[in-house]
Amino acid sequence: WRETDPHVFETPTGVDVPGDFHSISQAAFFAYPTEEIVIQPGTYTENIMVAKDVLLTSLNPLDPAIVEATILSGSRTGSVVTFLGDESPKCQVTGLTITRGSHGRGGGINGNGTLATLSGNRIVGNIAYQLDPTLGYGGQGGGLHEVNGNIVGNLISGNRAHYGCGLAYCNGDIVENRIEQNETLPFSFFGNFPAGMGGGLYRCGGSILRNEIVENIADGHGGGLAHCSGPIRSNRIIGNSAGPYRFYVIGEGQFLSSGGGIFHCDGEIAANLVQSNLALRGGGMADSHGTIQSNLIVSNTAEGICRTTQFGGRECHPGLGGGLINCNGNVVMNTLVGNHSTDSGSAISNCSGTIQNNIFWLNSAPEDAQIYNSSLPDHCLIQGWIGGGIGNVDLDPRFVDLANGDFHLRHESPCIDSGVFIASVTNDYDGNPRPFKWSTQYDGDGSGYDMGAFEFYPGPDLNYDNTVDALDLMVFQYDWGAVSGIGAKSYTPSGMPTDMDGNGKVDARDLVRFLEGID
């Protein structure tokens, strides 16, 4: 078919669309395994089957303008790209805009379990619709469904489905994608059928790392993520909502929408920014029972709702757990600031696991503003706390810049070295090793673990003005004089930002570290 001798091995040389083949489908069919198919900018209205290990790519996957101009449109007649399912990681789709697909399983890409790699694509404006009203289930994976290879560096935006509007049942690693403004479809075939779940991701089992998961909406549970079982690490999970109506009805039962950011994800949840998410229960997270550690959980809201019943009455449902609700694994070394609920437990509600080495600050609720109906906290900083526990303190945590959202600890913070040993936690939010034992003024169990998401490491910006300059050198000179007996200041290690290696004195080694940090 390609006018070559079938008895002679041909080294794949690559094909061009539309130069060599007028359609991508033709090129994918005729291509040798592992051959590169280069697609020129343009709009290609077709539904493509990939059934071998090929590299499907735009002219330049690293040029955003070319990626945006190389458009594969499904014209709402099926998935834009369908994989046979037995492709290896050598199969790649990269640098393409995949849009206007419509199918019950994977509007944009139906993976069928493929191990193909997807990178640098724009997967936008696809739909996974309801399959069969008589079966009582809905479409899954508006953007992608059952892609088990690695999904890296894609924009997954504006897709819709009943479950997993961005991605559903994708079990490879999901890394450094932007997953934004995906939204659940209404169930039109049964008035009392549950609202959808997983505005961003639904039942994805691989590692979810360093993604931007932003402004996704689920009418039911999990505005950002729902029922994902792998580790969730170093993501920015911001502005998602479980709602917007925040309750739904199944028959005689009423269920409250939960987990504006994360719902029922039981793997480790670590070093994420979970911020400004909204739900009726668990604005930040709900019903997630793995270890929750070293996260920033900031400005999430559990907002109650009142509605008129069918008999003309009025019923109200309180907002519970602005930060977390019903998370029964260990909750350790997190910083929870500025969360809000309209009833109780603005930071944590109904969590029965270990609550240890956390910071609770400026969380607000009419009752039990910090912790409600949960395990007794252990070695935490808790604003206004009188509820018991061991080693807790109620002092200003002394963040570097609270007003601008910098929750690192200043050198005089009472959180430094005030925690207890947790063997499973070896890094902080920034990836720095834990513990770093520095202060002798405050002490937990002597292990040197700090409270909160950040381990304190002294830096050269000694006056915290975001600039290393002569003013910092003056601070260094002052502390050097105090330690050497020349200055008038009495020496306390926790009051000395210049003790940069934590050895209890200010000396030449600290000077070297300071000079290395000067721009």
Side-chain angles (χ1 to χ4, degrees):
W1 286 340
R2 287 183 64 172
E3 300 179 356
T4 61
D5 186 343
H7 300 96
V8 177
F9 175 78
E10 298 286 341
T11 301
T13 57
V15 297
D16 179 272
V17 179
D20 297 315
F21 296 98
H22 73 269
S23 73
I24 302 168
S25 296
Q26 269 192 334
F29 180 77
F30 284 112
Y32 299 123
T34 73
E35 192 163 26
E36 181 180 58
I37 301 170
V38 177
I39 304 167
Q40 298 294 324
T43 298
Y44 302 83
T45 303
E46 53 182 308
N47 305 95
I48 300 153
M49 168 65 77
V50 177
K52 67 187 80 163
D53 288 346
V54 294
L55 171 58
L56 203 62
T57 179
S58 66
L59 189 63
N60 183 357
L62 300 180
D63 186 333
I66 288 178
V67 174
E68 190 168 355
T70 310
I71 302 168
L72 282 60
S73 172
S75 193
R76 297 283 185 251
T77 58
S79 301
V80 182
V81 178
T82 300
F83 289 91
L84 185 65
D86 58 0
E87 299 80 19
S88 79
K90 295 179 181 178
C91 183
Q92 298 181 48
V93 176
T94 181
L96 305 171
T97 292
I98 297 169
T99 189
R100 301 200 76 241
S102 180
H103 190 269
R105 296 293 182 267
I109 298 175
N110 182 0
N112 287 313
T114 184
L115 296 178
T117 300
L118 307 181
S119 63
N121 301 288
R122 297 176 70 250
I123 304 169
V124 298
N126 302 284
I127 296 175
Y129 59 87
Q130 61 200 37
L131 291 179
D132 185 344
T134 63
L135 298 178
Y137 55 81
Q140 300 173 359
L144 303 90
H145 183 270
E146 206 178 356
V147 175
N148 294 336
N150 292 337
I151 300 168
V152 182
N154 303 278
L155 171 66
I156 303 169
S157 176
N159 303 285
R160 303 193 72 188
H162 299 103
Y163 299 100
C165 310
L167 307 90
Y169 293 94
C170 294
N171 295 317
D173 291 343
I174 300 170
V175 182
E176 295 177 357
N177 303 279
R178 185 169 178 87
I179 303 166
E180 68 174 11
Q181 297 179 350
N182 303 284
E183 184 175 356
T184 53
L185 290 164
F187 282 85
S188 59
F189 46 88
F190 289 128
N192 67 348
F193 204 79
M197 299 186 196
L201 302 94
Y202 178 73
R203 294 196 182 277
C204 294
S207 297
I208 300 171
L209 307 172
R210 300 188 300 281
N211 300 280
E212 301 270 340
I213 303 171
V214 179
E215 296 180 358
N216 301 283
I217 298 174
D219 284 343
H221 298 315
L225 306 92
H227 292 285
C228 294
S229 56
I232 300 171
R233 294 187 61 91
S234 301
N235 302 280
R236 292 167 55 85
I237 303 168
I238 302 173
N240 305 282
S241 64
Y245 306 109
R246 294 181 289 285
F247 71 90
Y248 57 90
V249 177
I250 306 176
E252 299 297 322
Q254 181 167 279
F255 295 80
L256 307 179
S257 295
S258 303
I262 299 173
F263 174 75
H264 213 305
C265 296
D266 290 341
E268 180 189 51
I269 300 173
N272 302 281
L273 173 61
V274 183
Q275 182 174 4
S276 301
N277 301 286
L278 170 68
L280 194 147
R281 300 165 63 254
M285 304 184 207
D287 299 273
S288 298
H289 306 309
T291 296
I292 298 170
Q293 65 105 344
S294 298
N295 300 281
L296 292 178
I297 303 170
V298 181
S299 300
N300 302 283
T301 300
E303 182 178 277
I305 189 170
C306 296
R307 70 184 185 107
T308 302
T309 67
Q310 59 180 330
F311 302 108
R314 189 81 169 157
E315 63 180 22
C316 294
H317 302 276
L320 296 172
L324 310 175
I325 194 169
N326 293 346
C327 296
N328 297 325
N330 294 336
V331 179
V332 296
M333 293 184 172
N334 303 281
T335 297
L336 299 98
V337 176
N339 300 286
H340 176 70
S341 66
T342 56
D343 191 85
S344 302
S346 60
I348 288 184
S349 179
N350 299 84
C351 294
S352 62
T354 297
I355 300 173
Q356 201 167 56
N357 292 11
N358 302 286
I359 297 173
F360 300 89
W361 195 250
L362 298 180
N363 302 291
S364 61
E367 298 182 17
D368 300 307
Q370 309 302 330
I371 302 172
Y372 171 73
N373 193 34
S374 298
S375 304
L376 284 178
D378 175 6
H379 286 82
C380 295
L381 185 147
I382 314 171
Q383 185 178 21
W385 183 249
I386 56 173
I390 301 170
N392 301 303
V393 296
D394 176 16
L395 297 169
D396 186 333
R398 301 294 290 158
F399 296 126
V400 166
D401 190 351
L402 174 63
N404 291 302
D406 186 345
F407 303 111
H408 290 83
L409 304 176
R410 295 171 63 100
H411 65 278
E412 71 268 27
S413 171
C415 301
I416 296 171
D417 293 355
S418 295
V420 293
F421 178 75
I422 302 176
S424 61
V425 180
T426 57
N427 296 96
D428 74 350
Y429 180 93
D430 289 332
N432 294 317
R434 286 186 127 152
F436 174 71
K437 191 170 183 179
W438 184 74
S439 166
T440 59
Q441 181 171 340
Y442 300 101
D443 203 10
D445 64 355
S447 63
Y449 277 84
D450 296 346
M451 297 173 177
F454 296 106
E455 192 77 4
F456 173 75
Y457 278 83
D461 182 14
L462 303 178
N463 61 352
Y464 304 105
D465 65 353
N466 296 315
T467 303
V468 180
D469 54 18
L471 294 176
D472 299 293
L473 182 58
M474 291 175 63
V475 175
F476 193 94
Q477 290 174 317
Y478 183 83
D479 282 356
W480 183 287
V483 171
S484 60
I486 300 172
K489 180 179 175 183
S490 61
Y491 172 53
T492 56
S494 62
M496 302 286 281
T498 46
D499 179 18
M500 301 184 72
D501 59 4
N503 69 348
K505 56 186 177 181
V506 180
D507 55 21
R509 289 189 297 182
D510 300 304
L511 178 59
V512 169
R513 292 195 180 200
F514 172 73
L515 294 174
E516 288 174 346
I518 295 178
D519 295 333

